[in-house]
Amino acid sequence: NAGVTQTPKFQVLKTGQSMTLQCAQDMNHNSMYWYRQDPGMGLRLIYYSASEGTTDKGEVPNGYNVSRLNKREFSLRLESAAPSQTSVYFCASILHSSYNSPLHFGNGTRLTVT
Amino acid sequence: DQQVKQNSPSLSVQEGRISILNCDYTNSMFDYFLWYKKYPAEGPTFLISISSIKDKNEDGRFTVFLNKSAKHLSLHIVPSQPGDSAVYFCAASGGSSNTGKLIFGQGTTLQVKP
């Protein structure tokens, strides 16, 4: 049981390049989330998918797009990377967003944009 | 505007003593609070939570206290162990139908000295 799996673990991009961060969960969770962590700022929500087929913006969505490919997979795309997007990105999932239960996080993707 | 604040960036305690981590929030709509623990190069892992209808929740060495009138919560770890050395994030949800939309504090780095 792997939980939440993120790929890649590390990535270096040049300004203007694009990339997709992959996330998959094997817990049969309905809702999935993308957060970013920056020093001194905790984690901030980028986008989320409450259920398969739906996506919504979080607190800091600018410069990102997402795709809920199926119930297991939720990808985050940077179309034109900027240095301000240098961060650690965490994918998370929850069984159902209406219930008070904790998020389960992946181990993150560390992205550097030069 | 930081809705969840952890005002102590770091805390150092001796093994066997009590660790107290603090968190303040401003949004009275928050009704579910969580603590996450994070080791380097790993994702946050859930530690303990509390609903706003309670003022205390205990799980082994970990106890979370909630003071709604002061909009303050704290995490007590007794006794502290070297393996508890990590970054601790306080998080809150509420005011939304989606409980995975968490607002995180900035984190407190706990060091437990042997």
Side-chain angles (χ1 to χ4, degrees):
Chain A
N1 189 344
V4 179
T5 303
Q6 292 184 236
T7 55
K9 287 184 169 49
F10 302 94
Q11 184 71 49
V12 179
L13 290 178
K14 293 184 177 179
T15 298
Q17 287 185 318
S18 62
M19 80 160 294
T20 299
L21 283 67
Q22 307 286 353
C23 174
Q25 52 89 10
D26 62 2
M27 297 174 285
N28 201 33
H29 285 178
N30 290 292
S31 304
M32 298 183 73
Y33 304 79
W34 278 104
Y35 284 84
R36 60 178 286 175
Q37 184 196 0
D38 301 294
M41 300 191 74
L43 285 80
R44 292 179 294 167
L45 181 63
I46 305 170
Y47 267 95
Y48 65 99
S49 170
S51 60
E52 189 177 353
T54 69
T55 60
D56 283 290
K57 294 178 181 179
E59 183 185 354
V60 288
N62 291 345
Y64 305 96
N65 285 301
V66 290
S67 295
R68 184 74 183 267
L69 305 169
N70 48 54
K71 189 172 185 179
R72 290 186 63 248
E73 298 172 287
F74 187 39
S75 63
L76 179 72
R77 182 160 179 84
L78 288 72
E79 289 292 351
S80 178
S84 61
Q85 294 178 305
T86 292
S87 187
V88 182
Y89 292 85
F90 290 102
C91 178
S93 68
I94 197 171
L95 178 59
H96 199 292
S97 61
S98 298
Y99 307 146
N100 277 346
S101 61
L103 282 174
H104 296 259
F105 285 89
N107 282 331
T109 294
R110 184 174 293 274
L111 175 67
T112 302
V113 183
T114 61
Chain B
D1 180 32
Q2 192 85 23
Q3 296 186 72
V4 177
K5 291 183 181 179
Q6 294 175 254
N7 291 315
S8 298
S10 62
L11 175 67
S12 182
V13 264
Q14 209 64 37
E15 181 179 4
R17 306 295 290 267
I18 185 171
S19 295
I20 300 176
L21 294 90
N22 294 303
C23 179
D24 297 299
Y25 61 96
T26 58
N27 190 338
S28 57
M29 297 295 290
F30 289 150
D31 59 7
Y32 183 54
F33 303 88
L34 309 92
W35 285 93
Y36 280 86
K37 176 179 178 179
K38 186 184 179 303
Y39 292 118
E42 293 185 10
T45 55
F46 170 71
L47 196 55
I48 193 168
S49 64
I50 188 167
S51 165
S52 60
I53 62 174
K54 295 186 174 182
D55 54 19
K56 177 183 173 181
N57 189 25
E58 195 171 353
D59 183 1
R61 296 187 297 114
F62 303 92
T63 303
V64 56
F65 296 92
L66 175 62
N67 182 333
K68 288 186 290 294
S69 60
K71 293 190 177 70
H72 177 83
L73 65 156
S74 61
L75 174 68
H76 292 209
I77 306 173
V78 183
S80 301
Q81 299 173 354
D84 296 329
S85 297
V87 179
Y88 289 79
F89 289 100
C90 165
S93 73
S96 159
S97 59
N98 191 313
T99 58
K101 293 174 65 179
L102 297 180
I103 305 295
F104 283 84
Q106 308 96 308
T108 296
T109 300
L110 173 66
Q111 183 185 28
V112 180
K113 297 179 179 178

